Amino acid sequence: MLDLESLQSKLPKHGLGKPIFYYETVGSTNEVAIEDARRNTPQGALFIADEQTAGRGRTGRKWYTPPKSALAFSLILRPQVKHAESVGALTVLGALAIVEALEHWKLDAEIKWPNDVLIAGRKAAGVLVETSWMGDKLEYAILGIGINVGAASVPPDEEIDFPATCVEAAVGERVDRNELLLKVIKSVGRWYAEMQTDVLRAAWERRLAFREKQVMITGWKKHILGKVKGVELDGRLQLVLPSGEQIVVAVGDVRLRPVDMNYKSTTLGA
Ligand code: BT5
């Protein structure tokens, strides 16, 4: 059971997570957060659902959130950023906050650039940032986070194109969703204050999956093969091409796959 009263009382007085809007079932917490952000709901408002019927991933993909077993929530943020690219840093801090929160359960989770959290090489959580701009002024950013906690939250194989898992499978016992939610929000708050600093970049890079490994990046109708080197302040991935040239790849509709593993999405572009 999600216990919002207890959550509210444990969150820092002036930090993120206030007010809280709770839905037993909703289409997408990002969607309701966007509607409220348009109505000037302030930064920090938290939208949480026990179940999503139209949970979304990037570029129209779906995010599976059955009832009573997952965490699905969105925060309204209004950072002072000047360039659309800087928003990549929000995806970064969302993923980092999840990984950091999981350390409480002694899990060594990793971030699969740009927005997935892996436990033992399987996807256990995802981050979706959606923004609205007025010219070059950011109106709002919605930081959406989905975490598979109990076994029921893991999608059936036919729904996914990358292996999935959940937190409880790795911990080996029940994990209190309230406690995990609280830890993630607190961690988002801490890292939000460090957005676009080298401290955040370095902390993120330490948890980066496939570092020094060959990966295939797919997007914009092309594939790029390279070795993962690290990340930039704004969330872009540093990649070393077979020629030795170093490039950076922007967070966008791109997907990353390790090349030495035979995943279901063999087309690498699906
Ligand atoms: C993501 O997209 O990973 C971002 C997921 C963000 C979900 C949160 S929940 C709260 C908030 N409200 C929303 O509506 N969304 C946010 P992407 O990298 O595009 O990955 C989507 C892909 O992950 C799908 O195409 C499936 O293959 C796979 N997938 C879907 N549900 C999953 C799950 N529960 N666990 C693991 N993989 C999943």
Side-chain angles (χ1 to χ4, degrees), residues 4-148:
L4 302 176
E5 257 172 51
S6 148
L7 176 68
Q8 205 136 31
S9 68
K10 289 178 185 156
L11 283 168
K13 271 209 166 50
H14 301 292
L16 303 176
K18 301 202 162 133
I20 300 179
F21 300 95
Y22 173 73
Y23 304 82
E24 213 167 273
T25 300
V26 76
S28 151
T29 55
N30 264 31
E31 188 57 45
V32 284
I34 287 171
E35 283 164 18
D36 271 38
R38 285 193 187 128
R39 290 196 283 265
N40 293 327
T41 301
Q43 160 157 295
L46 170 67
F47 300 77
I48 172 155
D50 190 51
E51 175 188 22
Q52 293 187 117
T53 53
R56 55 199 195 210
R58 294 181 299 148
T59 56
R61 288 192 280 268
K62 292 193 179 119
W63 185 257
Y64 181 79
T65 316
K68 299 187 177 65
S69 60
L71 279 175
F73 60 95
S74 305
L75 284 161
I76 295 180
L77 299 175
R78 299 184 187 275
Q80 307 280 318
V81 294
K82 294 222 164 49
H83 307 289
E85 298 85 59
S86 324
V87 173
L90 283 177
T91 306
V92 169
L93 77 87
L96 180 58
I98 301 168
V99 169
E100 202 176 65
L102 291 173
E103 284 170 0
H104 174 79
W105 285 270
K106 312 259 179 300
L107 294 183
D108 200 5
E110 291 183 303
I111 300 164
K112 180 165 87 65
W113 184 88
N115 67 322
D116 294 340
V117 171
L118 307 184
I119 301 178
R122 296 175 158 261
K123 182 162 172 173
V127 177
L128 175 67
V129 174
E130 296 184 86
T131 54
S132 170
W133 294 82
M134 181 77 85
D136 62 355
K137 189 179 176 310
L138 178 69
E139 292 187 303
Y140 58 81
I142 307 299
L143 173 62
I145 290 182
I147 308 177
N148 301 338

